[in-house]
Amino acid sequence: MKSSTTEKKTILTEWRNAIVFAVVFATLFRWSLAEAFVIPTSSMENSLLVGDYILVSKVHYGPRTPTTPLQVPLTHQKIWGTEIPSYLDWIQLPTFRFPGMRGVQRGETVVFNAPKDLLEPTERPMDLMTYLVKRCVAISSDVLEIRDKQIFVNGKAMPNPPGMKFRYEMLTEYPLQSHHLETFGLDSEDYWFLGYTKENTPVYSLLLTAEQLEKIESAPFNISIHPPSDTQSGLELFPSSMANLWTKDNYGPVTVPKKGMQIPINATTLDLYGELIEKYEGQDKVEISAGKLEIEGKTMAQYTFNQDYYFMMGDSRDNSIDSRYWAFAPEDHIVGKPVMVLFSKNVEGTGLDRIRWERIFMGIE
């Protein structure tokens, strides 16, 4: 006959084994097949909304081996509900990508690790940098240019995603309440109060689709509405040498690097590609100065890229910190392809309206 102590040990052992199996299975599934993410910002509206829980396929582009193996399972940067880092960077491994179904295609949404965080600069291992979701508007070897907000790739206008937004400033007859703008399909992520003019006229900043702009132009409270006079977002454009010549709405042309692409080394090419060579190409002892490049003490007249790169932008073009500011996304930073909205929570809704029922299981382009 088993004692109660033995039975308790058996039950505890079974629970322990079940938990270990579940964690291992979930970790392997999350790494190799698919992972769920939540959309925290409005930079991809209206393709993806704040509160969307999306399923991201790792199979499309192939899963990556972890760079940082010393990490609490099923975490990213911090242990759940705390500010305690969930990893130790004592060991850093080279990244290897297993074969996938295909490569990143122009025009599709992609989840990737940010090459750099401009709002909260923090040095972390590559696979623990903040996750971003943007649209890949240009793939490696493409020549990208933006003219009056329209993207051109290899000289051809790129089709714009439906519901794309731009920023406008509006003068109004009187201060507005939220219900004034909700009738046009705007929520708190789409507008904010800027203050008053010298004539005491209220000024608002709005993020609008073409359809919303057309409707709000005839609103009774509208005095005038137009694109903002400033052409920058407050952040310096990439590359810094062109920051006074290019704007976020008129940008380029610029060639996206491709694996095997060779460039001559001079001040112009180093200003555009020097940071990539220094940080993302896996090179040791890189020195850049006075238009010259040295790798391990050897002066380079030319350089050949070791991996592909991509140019990423948000669909809400004036509300997105993207490749126009932090440059190209390296191939080894690519995480996966969003394929489906699993669930969508409207934080401003009430009752049943807190769930966007029409978005559940919706496919993602």
Side-chain angles (χ1 to χ4, degrees):
M1 180 180 294
K2 290 185 178 181
S3 68
S4 59
T5 302
T6 302
E7 289 179 351
K8 287 180 180 179
K9 287 182 178 180
T10 302
I11 293 173
L12 290 174
T13 300
E14 290 176 352
W15 272 102
R16 182 198 63 193
N17 293 342
I19 291 172
V20 169
F21 173 81
V23 170
V24 170
F25 176 82
T27 300
L28 290 174
F29 183 91
R30 184 174 180 246
W31 165 73
S32 62
L33 297 178
E35 185 174 355
F37 294 84
V38 62
I39 303 299
T41 69
S42 56
S43 68
M44 279 297 291
E45 289 191 349
N46 282 306
S47 299
L48 295 171
L49 305 180
V50 175
D52 279 353
Y53 289 76
I54 62 174
L55 183 68
V56 175
S57 166
K58 306 288 183 73
V59 177
H60 277 73
Y61 312 138
R64 305 175 300 179
T65 57
T67 300
T68 313
L70 301 180
Q71 184 180 2
V72 177
L74 306 179
T75 64
H76 183 47
Q77 295 172 345
K78 299 175 182 178
I79 295 176
W80 316 281
T82 74
E83 294 299 314
I84 302 172
S86 62
Y87 64 94
L88 295 172
D89 58 4
W90 300 345
I91 301 174
Q92 293 291 287
L93 303 176
T95 296
F96 174 79
R97 187 179 297 277
F98 286 87
M101 295 168 56
R102 57 174 176 78
V104 176
Q105 295 182 355
R106 188 187 306 115
E108 65 185 5
T109 55
V110 180
V111 170
F112 56 100
N113 294 106
K116 63 178 72 171
D117 192 333
L118 298 180
L119 296 182
E120 187 182 347
T122 303
E123 290 295 329
R124 293 190 181 96
M126 179 270 291
D127 57 339
L128 290 165
M129 291 295 287
T130 300
Y131 290 127
L132 297 179
V133 56
K134 305 288 182 185
R135 190 173 299 278
C136 178
V137 296
I139 61 175
S140 52
S141 79
D142 281 347
V143 178
L144 174 134
E145 185 175 7
I146 304 173
R147 307 176 205 158
D148 295 326
K149 301 180 182 288
Q150 175 62 52
I151 295 175
F152 289 81
V153 179
N154 303 325
K156 297 181 180 180
M158 182 178 182
N160 293 321
M164 186 174 65
K165 291 186 174 184
F166 290 105
R167 183 173 169 236
Y168 299 88
E169 287 185 1
M170 179 174 64
L171 302 180
T172 61
E173 294 281 359
Y174 45 82
L176 302 180
Q177 302 297 321
S178 58
H179 66 84
H180 290 119
L181 296 170
E182 286 173 357
T183 56
F184 297 94
L186 304 180
D187 57 32
S188 61
E189 297 283 341
D190 298 321
Y191 64 89
W192 53 97
F193 178 61
L194 296 179
Y196 293 90
T197 66
K198 294 179 180 179
E199 294 77 24
N200 207 35
T201 302
V203 185
Y204 290 84
S205 182
L206 308 173
L207 293 168
L208 304 173
T209 65
E211 293 76 15
Q212 289 171 327
L213 173 62
E214 183 178 357
K215 291 178 181 179
I216 212 166
E217 283 178 327
S218 59
F221 50 75
N222 173 43
I223 296 177
S224 67
I225 185 167
H226 51 78
S229 55
D230 65 300
T231 55
Q232 303 290 9
S233 68
L235 296 171
E236 185 176 72
L237 287 174
F238 167 84
S240 58
S241 63
M242 304 303 292
N244 293 327
L245 299 176
W246 296 355
T247 71
K248 62 182 177 61
D249 300 326
N250 291 278
Y251 186 97
V254 60
T255 300
V256 184
K258 180 180 178 62
K259 183 178 181 179
M261 186 178 89
Q262 192 174 77
I263 58 170
I265 298 302
N266 53 51
T268 300
T269 57
L270 286 178
D271 184 65
L272 190 58
Y273 303 118
E275 186 176 20
L276 304 184
I277 299 171
E278 189 174 17
K279 293 185 176 181
Y280 309 121
E281 285 283 289
Q283 301 288 358
D284 295 325
K285 298 180 181 179
V286 176
E287 294 289 338
I288 297 175
S289 64
K292 295 183 179 180
L293 169 67
E294 287 187 3
I295 299 178
E296 296 185 355
K298 181 181 178 181
T299 300
M300 310 294 292
Q302 297 177 321
Y303 182 80
T304 303
F305 284 99
N306 293 326
Q307 65 174 322
D308 291 333
Y309 292 82
Y310 305 93
F311 201 95
M312 307 289 191
M313 289 179 64
D315 289 354
S316 186
R317 296 285 164 77
D318 295 335
N319 191 38
S320 175
I321 300 174
D322 48 41
S323 286
R324 293 170 292 180
Y325 304 97
W326 43 251
F328 311 98
E331 194 275 337
D332 61 6
H333 284 52
I334 302 298
V335 174
K337 183 189 183 317
V339 293
M340 180 186 298
V341 177
L342 296 174
F343 181 76
S344 186
K345 179 181 178 182
N346 181 8
V347 295
E348 297 185 2
T350 58
L352 293 178
D353 290 336
R354 287 185 66 83
I355 300 175
R356 301 185 185 103
W357 300 97
E358 73 283 359
R359 295 185 65 80
I360 295 178
F361 301 138
M362 182 187 77
I364 299 173
E365 297 295 331

